[in-house]
Amino acid sequence: VGPKNPMVLKALIGALSDVDARVRHASVQALGCLQDQGAVGPLIAVSLRDRNPGVREFAANALGYGFSTNADTVVALMAALK
């Protein structure tokens, strides 16, 4: 994924609610690659609530690997799990 662009981030976050699990999965993958802090909340929501277990797992992995060095991400994920 190219340089950080707010419109790209917005489009990818919007794709997280697509009816097609393949689209949601691809969006999660792209957001994980971007590692933009604006994606943390939406990825947490997907990891907890997506109707497809594979998409939920992929979102959790994206958070764990893509954002693992950011303490804010860990705090946000822990708060979401409470």
Side-chain angles (χ1 to χ4, degrees):
V1 179
K4 293 184 181 182
N5 179 326
M7 294 185 70
V8 170
L9 182 65
K10 183 177 179 178
L12 289 171
I13 290 171
L16 293 174
S17 60
D18 195 276
V19 296
D20 189 335
R22 295 170 295 181
V23 172
R24 297 192 310 274
H25 186 275
S27 179
V28 165
Q29 183 175 16
L31 288 167
C33 289
L34 279 178
Q35 296 186 20
D36 188 299
Q37 283 305 114
V40 172
L43 285 173
I44 289 172
V46 169
S47 70
L48 296 172
R49 296 182 196 92
D50 194 273
R51 59 191 166 274
N52 183 290
V55 174
R56 287 194 309 266
E57 179 181 1
F58 203 70
N61 285 333
L63 286 164
Y65 294 112
F67 297 90
S68 61
T69 59
N70 188 315
D72 292 337
T73 302
V74 175
V75 170
L77 186 54
M78 289 174 60
L81 292 172
K82 288 184 180 182

